[in-house]
């Protein structure tokens, strides 16, 4: 008889589940309005293909992972609601990769990006508080791989989100994204320190590049007003699963992404937002592995030191099989202190 699989622990705490739900709703609504009102240029069938790819791959990889780890798959046991909550990350990843990348009419490239994004959660992992967690932002990594392997591909053009809006209403989309994204990140993901460090660092790098390389400082700062930057700030870089939770960790992460972006832009590397985020996520993953290795080594050294310094335990006297008071059993040996007590 095969052993019963262990019941899997909850995948996320309730606050993170709520954040993922609202992320999923927000990006779904944005796609609906994008294809009906805003001017999204990908075929309207592509989001459904991206979702089908992400859902099926996420379930298949979870099934294989649960078999290998001897536990129940996380999509079981919670009914339709549990399955839906399990698929929130895949839902967000699929729509983000399709929405933010532009690969002409080559559907397979978009599908490839979704596969990379979902699959990287099972490949690029590091120990965090005793559990293996993915450290690479899935959507960002999928888009970065597309841009790296297919030089003719690009991110969605700026007019992608406001092409059919006129009469001054083109400011309405970023305003709504900023409002909803700020509420979401302030109350649920609690990544406001990261956002502040990222936005402040981005403005600082634009000024520094202008002073050092004589580039246009207003042009560098103007990028912060675009829909792509607003989306990236509120819904990409703040991924709670791949960013630090502590205040100074968030500040270091957001500031590092801004600094790496400035360096890549100074080197004339296009699409620096996605490459900078991937590089910083990779550096954080390496740090997590190093920190875990050092912690394990220190724990082993502490155990070895304790074994050398602690006195050996004195063996307990063997039990006498004779009845109590029988003279056949020798009296237990007395210690010097006991002898003194008896003599007194």
């Amino acid at each position: 008889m095969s052993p019963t699989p262990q019941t899997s622990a909850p995948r996320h705490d309730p606050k993170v589940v709520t954040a993922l739900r609202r992320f999923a709703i927000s990006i779904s609504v944005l796609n609906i309005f994008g294809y009906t009102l805003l001017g999204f240029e990908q075929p309207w069938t592509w989001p459904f293909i991206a979702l089908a790819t992400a859902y099926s791959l996420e379930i298949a990889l979870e099934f294989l992972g649960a078999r290998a780890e001897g536990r129940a798959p996380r999509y079981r046991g919670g009914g339709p609601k549990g399955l839906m909550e399990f698929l929130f990350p895949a839902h967000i990843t699929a729509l983000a990769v399709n929405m933010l990348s532009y690969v002409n009419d080559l559907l397979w490239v978009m599908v490839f990006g979704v596969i990379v994004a979902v699959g990287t959660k099972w490949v690029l992992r590091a120990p965090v508080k005793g559990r293996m967690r993915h450290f690479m932002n899935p959507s960002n990594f999928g888009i970065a791989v597309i841009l790296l392997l297919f030089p003719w591909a690009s991110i969605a053009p700026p007019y992608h989100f406001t092409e059919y809006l006129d009469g001054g209403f083109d400011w309405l989309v970023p305003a709504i994204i900023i409002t909803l994204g700020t509420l979401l990140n302030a109350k649920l993901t609690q990544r406001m320190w990261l956002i502040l460090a990222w936005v402040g660092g981005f403005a600082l790098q634009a000024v520094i590049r202008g002073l050092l390389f004589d580039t246009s400082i207003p042009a560098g700062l103007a990028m912060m007003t675009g829909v792509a930057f607003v989306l990236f700030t509120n819904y990409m870089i703040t991924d709670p699963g791949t960013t630090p939770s502590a205040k100074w960790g968030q500040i270091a992460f957001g500031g590092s992404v801004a600094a790496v972006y400035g360096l890549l832009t100074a080197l004339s590397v296009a699409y620096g937002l996605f490459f900078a985020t991937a590089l910083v996520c990779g550096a954080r993953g390496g740090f997590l592995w190093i920190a875990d290795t050092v912690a394990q080594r220190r724990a082993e050294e502490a155990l070895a030191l304790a074994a050398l310094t602690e006195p050996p335990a004195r063996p307990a006297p063997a039990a006498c099989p004779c009845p109590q008071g029988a003279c056949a059993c020798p009296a237990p040996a007395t210690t010097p202190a006991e002898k003194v007590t008896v003599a007194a």
Side-chain angles (χ1 to χ4, degrees):
M1 182 180 296
S2 60
T4 303
Q6 302 173 1
T7 303
S8 59
R11 194 176 189 194
H12 300 294
D13 61 54
K15 186 173 287 189
V16 175
V17 171
T18 303
L20 289 172
R21 181 187 300 114
R22 294 186 181 179
F23 268 121
I25 293 173
S26 298
I27 198 170
S28 299
V29 171
L30 181 58
N31 270 264
I32 292 172
F33 279 104
Y35 281 97
T36 56
L37 298 175
L38 301 181
F40 283 15
E41 296 194 353
Q42 297 93 338
W44 66 269
T45 55
W46 283 26
F48 298 101
I49 297 173
L51 289 173
T53 301
Y55 289 169
S56 57
L57 183 60
E58 185 85 5
I59 292 174
L61 291 176
E62 173 62 19
F63 174 78
L64 295 175
R67 287 282 298 270
E69 298 171 7
R71 57 173 175 79
R74 294 187 180 94
Y75 54 80
R76 290 182 182 172
K81 179 181 178 182
L83 176 61
M84 180 178 63
E85 291 179 352
F86 168 78
L87 291 174
F88 279 155
H91 184 93
I92 297 167
T93 298
L95 292 183
V97 171
N98 176 68
M99 178 178 68
L100 295 176
S101 61
Y102 187 74
V103 294
N104 298 324
D105 58 347
L106 297 181
L107 173 64
W108 69 269
V109 178
M110 184 274 293
V111 171
F112 169 76
V114 172
I115 292 173
V116 170
V118 175
T120 189
K121 295 192 294 183
W122 291 88
V123 178
L124 300 179
R125 309 174 94 184
V128 180
K129 297 180 180 179
R131 294 179 56 194
M132 295 299 293
R133 300 285 300 273
H134 67 281
F135 58 81
M136 187 64 71
N137 186 307
S139 305
N140 182 87
F141 189 70
I143 296 171
V145 170
I146 288 177
L147 296 173
L148 189 63
L149 296 182
F150 308 100
W152 46 265
S154 66
I155 61 172
Y159 60 83
H160 185 71
F161 301 95
T162 56
E163 184 175 7
Y164 298 146
L165 296 179
D166 52 16
F169 287 101
D170 53 348
W171 61 267
L172 191 60
V173 174
I176 293 174
I177 294 173
I178 290 175
T179 302
L180 296 179
T182 301
L183 291 174
L184 180 64
N185 288 298
K187 292 186 175 182
L188 296 174
T189 67
Q190 298 179 345
R191 294 298 189 273
M192 291 306 298
W193 286 111
L194 192 154
I195 291 178
L196 292 174
W198 154 246
V199 174
F202 190 93
L204 181 62
Q205 64 81 30
V207 173
I208 292 175
R209 284 193 296 112
L211 296 176
L212 294 180
F213 303 105
D214 198 27
T215 58
S216 173
I217 295 177
L221 296 174
M223 182 179 172
M224 301 172 66
T225 64
V227 177
F229 182 87
V230 172
L231 271 173
F232 185 88
T233 299
N234 288 278
Y235 293 97
M236 180 72 78
I237 197 174
T238 55
D239 177 24
T242 57
T243 54
S245 299
K247 170 184 173 181
W248 291 108
Q250 292 185 40
I251 293 174
F253 188 93
S256 297
V257 175
V260 175
Y261 169 82
L263 178 62
L264 293 176
T265 304
L267 296 174
S268 301
V269 176
Y271 313 121
L273 288 179
F274 300 95
F275 293 132
T277 304
L279 289 172
V280 173
C281 285
R284 178 172 176 264
F287 171 79
L288 291 174
W289 272 111
I290 293 173
D292 183 74
T293 302
V294 171
Q296 289 185 9
R297 186 170 300 173
R298 288 179 177 175
E300 293 172 357
E301 292 174 352
L303 288 175
L305 182 61
L308 292 174
T309 56
E310 289 181 2
R314 202 167 106 182
C320 180
C322 301
Q324 187 174 5
C327 59
C329 290
T334 57
T335 63
E338 292 170 343
K339 291 179 180 179
V340 172
T341 304
V342 173

